[in-house]
Structures are given as C-alpha cells and as structure tokens.
Amino acid sequence: MFDLKIRLINMLGLLTIVVIVGLVLDYRNVLKKPMRMGMSLAVLGITAGIFLTLSAVLPENDVFGRVFSNTKTTQKVVALTFDDGPYPPYTEQVLDVLKEYNVPATFFVVGKNVEKYPELVKRIADEGHQLGNHTYHHIDLLKANRKVIAEEIDNTNQAILAAAGIKPRLMRPPHGFRDPVVMEMMAERNLKVVEWSVMSRDWTNPGVDVIVERTVKGVKNGSIILLHDGDGITSQDSRMQSVEAARRIIQILSKQGYTFVTVDEILEKTEDVKG
C-alpha cells in the first residue's frame, strides 16, 4: 500500500547516511572543498526530498493544492467517511447502522466496485448519503501518468452517474497520495480533494475496541473521520470490525453532543475561530 512512500524514505535514509559520513570526514578535514560543497548540496537535496515526500502523503498538507481534511468551527459537527466500497455484505451493514441512528455519511467508492454493485451505490444515494470518487482501480496516483489518472477519475464518475444519477463533487486519492499533477487534474474537473483528520486504521482489523478508541480520542469540532466499508478491488478482508466500530463511534460521539453531517455539509460550517 505504501510502496512508493517506503522507497522514498529508504532512498532518503541512504542519502542521510552518506551525508552524515561526509560531515564526519569534513569535521576531520579529510574532504576537500569541492566535496564539502557537494555535501552541502546533498543536505539541501535531502531536506527538499523530505519536504516533497511529506507534502504528497500528509493528509492536511496544502503545498500542492487545496485539500480538505477538516474544518474550523465552534459547532460540534463531525463527518463519517467510508472508503473502498461498495463491498457486500459490509456496505449494506454500514448503511443499516447509519439508517438506525439517522446518521448521514460520505462514501468514497471505487469505480470497478460501482459497476459490479450499482444497486448498492443507488441505495447510498437514495438514503441521503454523499458519494465521492476514489478512482476506478484504487491505484496509487503518484505512479500514474496523466492519461491513466484521467481514466481512473472519469470512468469512476461515469460509473457513479450511471448507478445513482449523481455526478460527484468530491474525490479522495487512494492512501491520500497526491502531487501537483493530481491536484491540477482534479481542479480541471471541479473535484474537491478530501483527506481526513482522524484515521482509525480500521483496515488492519486491530479489534473493534482499538478502532473505536483511536477514532473517538482524535475527534474535535469539524473532524473528518476515515473508516472503510470496502477492501479496494480485491474484496477479500472482512470489514465486520469496521461495521461494529461505526455503531459504537456513533453512539459515543452522539452522547458527547456531536452531530453527524456529510463532507459537503461540514465544509460549509467553516468559521473564523480564534485561538
């Protein structure tokens, strides 16, 4: 899942070791002046590399373009989001929980799954939830060229339109990864790029209690919560823990006075908050 990120970190780690060795040699006056200049450039390169890597993977980073990971508000509102579906029977179970508690949510769906289960996508829309684009094959967009990115986004938009009669206004890149090309192409399509401020890491199935604790302790006014009703296009792992965790998260946050809204609605709540 994080192959590119790991490769970049490994490369930066290797460069860091080289720079440290160089600095030690420089301290002992072993290096000549041209080598010292090269080491200085390497340090700058590492710093720039780390900055660009973090800009591509951190959900709240706006360096490459505006992303939405939460909203600043004094109102006790929170948005539940579910990724990687639709995926029976878990998407139906999540929808049943949301219906039971009269809670709206936002589903970032995978285009290939949409075409496979259009009736589920229609149910999501019919029950008042928001639909967002999560690419067609759930690919890492950092590894894709413009043509592939366009196909991933446009084919998913078309699939959602065919299934539910809705053209998405939101997209979430798989793993949250994006770069200037991704951001530019989303802007061309008038798609807001939505990340998250609370990540439960529920896809690892660490246990319901762990998912709930990770989520609830991170919630603030205006939080966007990341959960999963699906499993990409592989559709192999259970999402039963996520279903039960969603129920308990709703119960706990409701008791704490939070109101649940869609991503579109939470972004409308932005205020000038002092402090």
Side-chain angles (χ1 to χ4, degrees):
M1 177 176 172
F2 297 104
D3 287 347
L4 178 63
K5 182 179 177 182
I6 290 171
R7 287 201 301 272
L8 287 170
I9 291 173
N10 287 341
M11 183 173 64
L12 290 170
L14 180 60
L15 285 172
T16 302
I17 292 172
V18 171
V19 170
I20 290 173
V21 171
L23 291 174
V24 171
L25 294 175
D26 185 33
Y27 177 76
R28 295 184 176 181
N29 293 319
V30 174
L31 295 181
K32 296 181 180 180
K33 187 174 181 180
M35 287 291 290
R36 292 175 183 172
M37 292 178 62
M39 295 308 299
S40 297
L41 291 174
V43 170
L44 290 175
I46 289 174
T47 303
I50 293 173
F51 175 76
L52 293 174
T53 300
L54 293 177
S55 297
V57 302
L58 292 180
E60 70 277 8
N61 201 304
D62 281 336
V63 170
F64 295 142
R66 181 72 185 278
V67 297
F68 299 90
S69 58
N70 62 5
T71 192
K72 293 183 178 180
T73 178
T74 56
Q75 300 179 48
K76 297 197 73 170
V77 291
V78 63
L80 286 178
T81 67
F82 295 89
D83 283 12
D84 296 358
Y87 178 25
Y90 308 108
T91 300
E92 293 104 320
Q93 292 169 358
V94 167
L95 288 169
D96 289 343
V97 170
L98 297 174
K99 187 174 184 179
E100 179 181 351
Y101 292 93
N102 194 28
V103 165
T106 302
F107 290 78
F108 289 94
V109 293
V110 176
K112 189 170 184 179
N113 294 342
V114 173
E115 291 184 348
K116 194 173 182 180
Y117 306 109
E119 71 286 351
L120 270 179
V121 178
K122 187 174 188 304
R123 180 183 169 186
I124 290 171
D126 287 349
E127 295 188 0
H129 306 293
Q130 187 169 13
L131 288 162
N133 188 317
H134 200 43
T135 73
Y136 189 84
H137 293 100
H138 198 266
I139 66 167
D140 180 351
L141 295 179
L142 296 183
K143 300 178 181 179
N145 59 34
R146 295 182 70 94
K147 180 177 182 295
V148 171
I149 294 172
E151 291 173 348
E152 287 287 320
I153 300 303
D154 295 343
N155 290 345
T156 302
N157 277 349
Q158 291 169 12
I160 294 171
L161 183 62
I166 293 171
K167 183 178 180 181
R169 298 186 297 273
L170 311 176
M171 76 83 57
R172 174 175 282 163
H175 326 308
F177 294 174
R178 73 276 177 201
D179 60 13
V181 173
V182 172
M183 298 302 295
E184 177 188 343
M185 295 184 71
M186 298 312 107
E188 290 173 355
R189 289 159 174 76
N190 294 316
L191 288 168
K192 293 179 180 178
V193 177
V194 178
E195 301 280 350
W196 56 85
S197 56
V198 179
M199 180 170 63
S200 64
R201 300 196 297 280
D202 60 323
W203 68 86
T204 63
N205 286 326
V208 175
D209 290 341
V210 174
I211 297 170
V212 173
E213 181 183 5
R214 285 175 179 170
T215 303
V216 171
K217 73 178 183 181
V219 169
K220 300 177 181 177
N221 294 354
S223 290
I224 296 177
I225 298 172
L226 170 62
L227 292 167
H228 292 76
D229 66 313
D231 184 34
I233 60 174
T234 59
S235 298
Q236 294 177 346
D237 288 345
S238 170
R239 289 291 172 255
M240 197 62 242
Q241 291 184 15
S242 299
V243 174
E244 181 56 30
R247 178 188 300 277
R248 288 171 54 182
I249 289 166
I250 290 170
Q251 291 172 341
I252 293 170
L253 293 181
S254 294
K255 288 180 180 179
Q256 293 179 0
Y258 284 97
T259 298
F260 294 89
V261 296
T262 64
V263 168
D264 260 357
E265 291 170 329
I266 207 167
L267 295 182
E268 293 173 358
K269 304 286 185 181
T270 300
E271 305 167 358
D272 292 325
V273 181
K274 296 180 180 180

